[in-house]
Amino acid sequence: MMIQLKPIWNALRESPNGPKWLTWAAINLSIAAYFGYGLVAPASSHKTAWLPGETTHGHYQIELDCNACHDPGRSTEGPSGADVMQDACIRCHGAQLDLAKDTHPANKFRDPTNAERLKILDAQNCLTCHQEHVPEQTLSMGLTMPADYCWHCHQEVADSRPSHRGMAYDSCATAGCHNYHDNRALYEKYLDDHHGQSDHLELAALPQRSTLESLSGAFRAQQSLTIDDADHPSSWTTDPGFSENSASEDSLSGDSLLDDWATTAHASAGVNCSHCHRGDKDSAGDDAPWSEQVAIERCQQCHERQVESFKTGKHGMRLAAGLSPMTPDLARLPMHAGQAHAELDCSACHSGHRFDTQFAATDACLRCHADDHSLAYGDSSHAALWRDELAGNGPLGSGVSCATCHLPRLEGDSGIWVNHDQNASLRPNETMARQVCTHCHGLEYSLSALADPQTVASCFGDPPAERIKSVQMAHEWFEQQEAKRAARRDNR
């Protein structure tokens, strides 16, 4: 049935209330268009109107990419109304859970004897504990259920472990005791192995990395290069007055910019100008056009693990979702206003052509971060050690920069490499104890410091007010077990 608009239009014109009806119709059409476009638009601020509530601190950077969690087409198992978001969780966090040797993996509950427990708390579904857009019930680590969830399955602990009697069930996950997923620094044998350590270890130093050995991409250069080998565009000229900010295809400070490049590991490893400033050749074999900006994909050619891990942290997760780079004005932590619109990619910290890792380790962080923890760093003993190392007054690896703690050095197949997911050692922060703190401190001191909010706020400038007892408790438990075994042997 065709709707005749002309008679309706004429009727509105002749009606004394016509202008009001037309205004009402225009307003409603505008609202419908606004929400309708937000529904079909790609990830952008247009999606804001469809957010049902505030997103957790772990996901708000990608909250405007609704499909990151709500797209059933991305499921390898095929779309279903029940597992759409579960699939999204595993897609991003599955590898991290594997690395953490997840203490409560979903397959642990496949045993039919767990059926009754699963009726009370479905531990196979991430959304049982971690829902989104419900800020009124969201606790730390994105937990959206009462913090005494351990009670449902571990009610017998108070009877089987006299040392735990009287402890509240909402204190199980207190830093230094237990964590639902990651107990790499908390399981009993590890705690007992580190019993009796002093607060400050005699041999305190970070493992040393090898940039060349840590490369994980497909690209491998053949020989080192000098300034004469640089393959920048021939149209460029050297200009002593050149500043990097004024770089263009018509002017180049060969004496400054190229000198910087020639002293780096890039030149030593044979990475020429074109490797970073041009893309791959096209299908006809022609060179890609020169680009002043270096895309993160070019860095990934050689630094694959570093870029992949960068994209799993808050600094890079927007890039992984296909959004624009994160900028400090999008952060929930306090940031310096002058850096509000600085885009975070590899060049944000490894700027210029020196790729100065010392600058990236601390100065690059403090250029943006203005929270209490960051502002307190300069007066901390960690910073004093860092300054001593840079001045040559401390052994190599004895200084503690921001990167020391937040970009941990991990043992890989080909040597030590730097994990660029600055959030990985904070999920939970006990992870930092095993990956970082215990290079220099005893485990009990490390767990106690990480569990003390005041110590964390002061950037560990203050010692922990209380000592976590889990190391001592684990040691006593093993002693009790050994005493029981000895008694049984004596009775034979």
Side-chain angles (χ1 to χ4, degrees):
M1 181 179 68
M2 297 290 292
I3 298 177
Q4 299 296 322
L5 296 178
K6 188 173 182 179
I8 296 176
W9 172 251
N10 290 334
L12 288 172
R13 291 181 59 189
E14 295 171 359
S15 170
N17 294 321
K20 294 181 179 179
W21 282 107
L22 288 173
T23 302
W24 175 85
I27 292 174
N28 281 278
L29 285 173
S30 299
I31 294 174
Y34 176 77
F35 283 95
Y37 180 70
L39 191 63
V40 300
S44 65
S45 58
H46 296 290
K47 298 284 190 183
T48 304
W50 286 97
L51 289 175
E54 186 177 277
T55 316
T56 64
H57 63 83
H59 293 145
Y60 79 96
Q61 286 288 346
I62 57 171
E63 65 184 8
L64 297 180
D65 180 17
C66 305
N67 291 345
C69 297
H70 297 281
D71 183 6
R74 294 187 181 185
S75 171
T76 57
E77 302 295 331
S80 76
D83 68 356
V84 170
M85 293 185 67
Q86 172 83 356
D87 174 73
C89 302
I90 299 302
R91 189 168 54 243
C92 290
H93 298 286
Q96 297 164 5
L97 291 172
D98 289 342
L99 181 65
K101 302 184 186 306
D102 187 7
T103 316
H104 292 83
N107 59 18
K108 187 175 187 175
F109 301 93
R110 290 176 183 166
D111 191 317
T113 59
N114 286 312
E116 292 302 316
R117 289 175 174 172
L118 292 179
K119 288 180 180 177
I120 300 172
L121 192 154
D122 184 1
Q124 293 183 307
N125 191 331
C126 305
L127 302 182
T128 301
C129 300
H130 302 289
Q131 297 184 37
E132 276 296 351
H133 309 299
V134 284
E136 67 280 3
Q137 66 183 71
T138 302
L139 307 176
S140 61
M141 303 302 293
L143 182 68
T144 51
M145 66 180 305
D148 60 350
Y149 55 90
C150 303
W151 178 85
H152 295 293
C153 296
H154 299 284
Q155 302 170 40
E156 82 294 345
V157 167
D159 295 326
S160 61
R161 296 292 181 91
S163 59
H164 286 59
R165 286 175 185 161
M167 293 184 178
Y169 279 98
D170 62 359
S171 67
C172 304
T174 302
C177 294
H178 304 283
N179 185 268
Y180 186 83
H181 292 295
D182 186 352
N183 286 280
R184 283 175 291 176
L186 299 173
Y187 68 89
E188 291 163 327
K189 185 65 171 62
Y190 184 76
L191 294 173
D192 185 47
D193 286 346
H194 292 77
H195 174 263
Q197 287 183 313
S198 60
D199 292 350
H200 297 81
L201 304 182
E202 186 175 350
L203 297 176
L206 288 177
Q208 294 303 302
R209 60 177 173 167
S210 166
T211 302
L212 187 59
E213 291 178 352
S214 69
L215 299 180
S216 53
F219 173 78
R220 287 291 184 276
Q222 300 298 318
Q223 61 184 16
S224 62
L225 303 172
T226 66
I227 290 179
D228 293 336
D229 299 314
D231 62 352
H232 58 79
S234 57
S235 59
W236 283 22
T237 60
T238 58
D239 175 7
F242 171 86
S243 69
E244 197 163 293
N245 292 332
S246 66
S248 70
E249 291 197 5
D250 298 323
S251 68
L252 168 68
S253 171
D255 293 337
S256 58
L257 192 151
L258 290 180
D259 276 349
D260 287 347
W261 164 79
T263 60
T264 66
H266 278 179
S268 298
V271 179
N272 215 326
C273 309
S274 60
H275 288 126
C276 301
H277 289 280
R278 292 189 191 278
D280 296 329
K281 294 180 181 295
D282 60 23
S283 57
D286 295 328
D287 288 334
W290 181 271
S291 172
E292 295 292 344
Q293 302 299 321
V294 177
I296 193 170
E297 290 77 13
R298 305 307 297 170
C299 305
Q300 195 168 7
Q301 287 183 114
C302 302
H303 305 281
E304 188 175 26
R305 280 182 300 193
Q306 289 82 351
V307 171
E308 287 181 351
S309 57
F310 172 77
K311 289 181 177 179
T312 62
K314 288 183 182 177
H315 285 170
M317 64 194 303
R318 287 176 60 87
L319 293 173
L323 296 166
S324 59
M326 180 193 177
T327 53
D329 65 324
L330 297 175
R332 288 181 175 174
L333 288 174
M335 297 284 164
H336 291 297
Q339 293 295 316
H341 304 296
E343 295 187 342
L344 270 72
D345 54 16
C346 303
S347 298
C349 300
H350 301 284
S351 57
H353 284 72
R354 295 178 183 175
F355 315 107
D356 187 348
T357 54
Q358 293 181 353
F359 174 83
T362 295
D363 296 321
C365 312
L366 299 180
R367 187 170 55 178
C368 294
H369 287 265
D371 56 282
D372 291 343
H373 176 82
S374 301
L375 295 177
Y377 170 77
D379 295 326
S380 70
S381 57
H382 284 168
L385 290 169
W386 177 245
R387 288 191 290 268
D388 284 346
E389 181 181 338
L390 296 186
N393 298 324
L396 189 63
S398 61
V400 183
S401 66
C402 305
T404 299
C405 301
H406 296 285
L407 303 180
R409 299 181 179 188
L410 305 180
E411 180 74 39
D413 296 335
S414 56
I416 303 294
W417 67 287
V418 177
N419 182 0
H420 280 59
D421 178 353
Q422 84 285 358
N423 299 114
S425 59
L426 300 175
R427 294 190 293 249
N429 71 357
E430 294 94 336
T431 306
M432 187 180 291
R434 177 156 184 163
Q435 293 185 345
V436 179
C437 306
T438 49
H439 289 306
C440 304
H441 297 282
L443 180 60
E444 180 187 313
Y445 182 88
S446 302
L447 294 175
S448 301
L450 291 168
D452 189 333
Q454 180 57 42
T455 301
V456 173
S458 69
C459 204
F460 307 100
D462 301 322
E466 297 183 9
R467 304 303 291 254
I468 293 296
K469 299 178 180 177
S470 54
V471 176
Q472 180 63 29
M473 292 170 66
H475 179 66
E476 291 175 353
W477 186 81
F478 277 102
E479 284 190 326
Q480 293 165 7
Q481 299 306 304
E482 178 57 31
K484 291 178 180 178
R485 285 192 290 270
R488 286 196 294 269
R489 287 195 297 269
D490 293 341
N491 292 331
R492 289 175 183 170

